[in-house]
Amino acid sequence: MAEPRPRVWVAQPLFDDIVARLHAHFDVVQVPAVVEHDAAAVADALREADGALVTLNERVGEAEIAGAPRLRAVANLGVGYNNLDVAALHARGIVATNTPDVLTETTADFGFALMMAAARRVTEAERHLRAGRWQGWNFKGLLGADLHGSTLGILGMGRIGQGIARRAAGFDMRVLYHNRSRLPADVERACNARYVDFDALFAQADHLVLVLPYSAASHHIVDAAALARMQPTATLTNIARGGIVDEAALADALAHGRLASAALDVFEGEPAVDPRLLALDNVVLTPHIASGSLATRRAMVALAVDNLIAALGAGPDAGRPPTPIAPAGRDAKRPGTA
Ligand code: 8YV
């Protein structure tokens, strides 16, 4: 009797023409509509699966894989993989992969867009106009802060942080960064960026962008004390992960004029957003779309599909997925973005 084909679970609707490549090798169980999967739903879906293609909507850890004896590969859509317990997967010999590189430039574009929106009060001004409050041209109305000639601070200088630094050259910005390890001199030169310590970054940045990975070590690293170091005229942009910022402390700083404005694409309790943030006018809020250009989202799916096919021992790269996640400590990368 012929061996049954491996079975893979595709946890969200993606691009059918790309996902179709899985059908050549596997029996595919495709979730037809966008859904928030809880732990029980993920565990149930993985029970019979040999592989899975998941997004940040699906947490895959010890509990979810406990009843999945056949599972051999989990391909994550995203460079950040804090939705995976990689140690638990590796302990079971399950290959985990992510999608770095293909989203770097798109995400850096969006970081810049959010920073500009916060500095120049773009969404606040639009709300003002749409609400019919624009009753006459006001020379001193809705004044913002300049980007050109200002100091950009980047916390987390991985691929996306470096992409933002490169863009800053076009705006004649002075670029400061802080990272868990200092970059080689040639990379610093290419980014025209100067390494400073954490406190100096917060004190000196006119516009601070967060692009660091999320992990236990970076949880609430931007807390009340860090925010208090910032200039009251400064802006804060977060395109990394919500849990990096203490949202209550941020709302407090924004409400009391200790920070001019913020722009957030990520939230600690996504898709819920802290009502204190929703009530503020000086914060730009977007629903985790930094990598969301059509071309990039397609490229992410293509890479994840390549990873899954290879990790399950099929296709031209059988056994060699293009972008595996290394065991902790074996490479420089960590769970969040970058
Ligand atoms: C994705 C992201 O949209 O890459 C990341 O880390 O946060 C985003 O690009 C997300 O991971 C989708 O699953």
Side-chain angles (χ1 to χ4, degrees), residues 31-231:
V31 173
V34 177
V35 61
E36 283 283 316
H37 290 109
D38 62 16
V42 173
D44 203 40
L46 295 179
R47 208 172 300 284
E48 308 275 295
D50 297 274
L53 208 166
V54 300
T55 70
L56 54 65
N57 272 353
E58 291 77 38
R59 200 199 126 65
V60 185
E62 215 170 312
E64 290 81 6
I65 62 174
R70 283 162 45 181
L71 192 65
R72 286 183 284 136
V74 175
N76 194 46
L77 278 154
V79 62
Y81 49 85
N82 54 300
N83 54 315
L84 306 183
D85 182 341
V86 175
L89 296 181
H90 284 164
R92 274 269 316 274
I94 298 168
V95 175
T97 65
N98 67 339
T99 61
D101 300 317
V102 291
L103 47 67
T104 298
E105 301 302 327
T106 297
T107 306
D109 281 353
F110 195 74
F112 230 87
L114 278 189
M115 175 170 58
M116 295 190 81
R120 295 300 306 276
R121 304 171 67 175
V122 173
T123 53
E124 181 185 353
E126 189 189 2
R127 279 195 300 278
H128 177 83
L129 180 151
R130 284 182 186 271
R133 294 201 300 270
W134 190 27
Q135 298 294 341
W137 196 73
N138 175 1
F139 195 78
K140 296 206 298 185
L142 290 162
L143 300 182
D146 282 323
L147 249 65
H148 72 268
S150 69
T151 297
L152 168 63
I154 301 174
L155 183 60
M157 199 61 155
R159 289 164 282 219
I160 299 168
Q162 291 171 36
I164 291 172
R166 286 195 306 275
R167 281 158 179 76
F171 286 76
D172 211 12
M173 295 172 95
R174 181 168 82 109
V175 182
L176 306 177
Y177 79 96
H178 182 74
N179 200 44
R180 68 200 124 94
S181 49
R182 189 173 171 169
L183 299 179
D186 59 326
V187 182
E188 283 189 351
R189 262 195 307 279
C191 295
N192 199 18
R194 190 159 68 82
Y195 180 84
V196 292
D197 68 30
F198 183 88
D199 288 358
L201 186 79
F202 277 71
Q204 291 180 38
D206 294 311
H207 305 289
L208 180 61
V209 184
L210 310 177
V211 213
L212 69 164
Y214 179 65
S215 64
S218 64
H219 179 74
H220 285 194
I221 198 168
V222 182
D223 58 5
L227 292 167
R229 284 187 199 100
M230 294 183 73
Q231 307 174 63

Side-chain angles (χ1 to χ4, degrees), residues 55-56 77-80 103 241 288 291 297 300 336-337:
T55 70
L56 54 65
L77 278 154
V79 62
L103 47 67
R241 286 290 183 267
H288 203 145
S291 68
R297 285 282 163 85
M300 290 164 69
T337 71

Side-chain angles (χ1 to χ4, degrees), residues 195-311:
Y195 180 84
V196 292
D197 68 30
F198 183 88
D199 288 358
L201 186 79
F202 277 71
Q204 291 180 38
D206 294 311
H207 305 289
L208 180 61
V209 184
L210 310 177
V211 213
L212 69 164
Y214 179 65
S215 64
S218 64
H219 179 74
H220 285 194
I221 198 168
V222 182
D223 58 5
L227 292 167
R229 284 187 199 100
M230 294 183 73
Q231 307 174 63
T233 49
T235 74
L236 176 74
T237 296
N238 187 7
I239 55 168
R241 286 290 183 267
I244 289 169
V245 177
D246 178 341
E247 289 175 352
L250 175 62
D252 204 48
L254 289 167
H256 295 99
R258 296 196 299 273
L259 190 65
S261 57
L264 308 174
D265 186 50
V266 285
F267 304 89
E268 194 160 8
E270 287 176 24
V273 178
D274 189 319
R276 284 166 295 189
L277 292 170
L278 287 169
L280 289 167
D281 242 340
N282 55 342
V283 56
V284 178
L285 304 168
T286 52
H288 203 145
I289 57 169
S291 68
S293 74
L294 176 60
T296 288
R297 285 282 163 85
R298 286 182 62 82
M300 290 164 69
V301 176
L303 178 53
V305 163
D306 286 345
N307 274 321
L308 194 53
I309 291 172

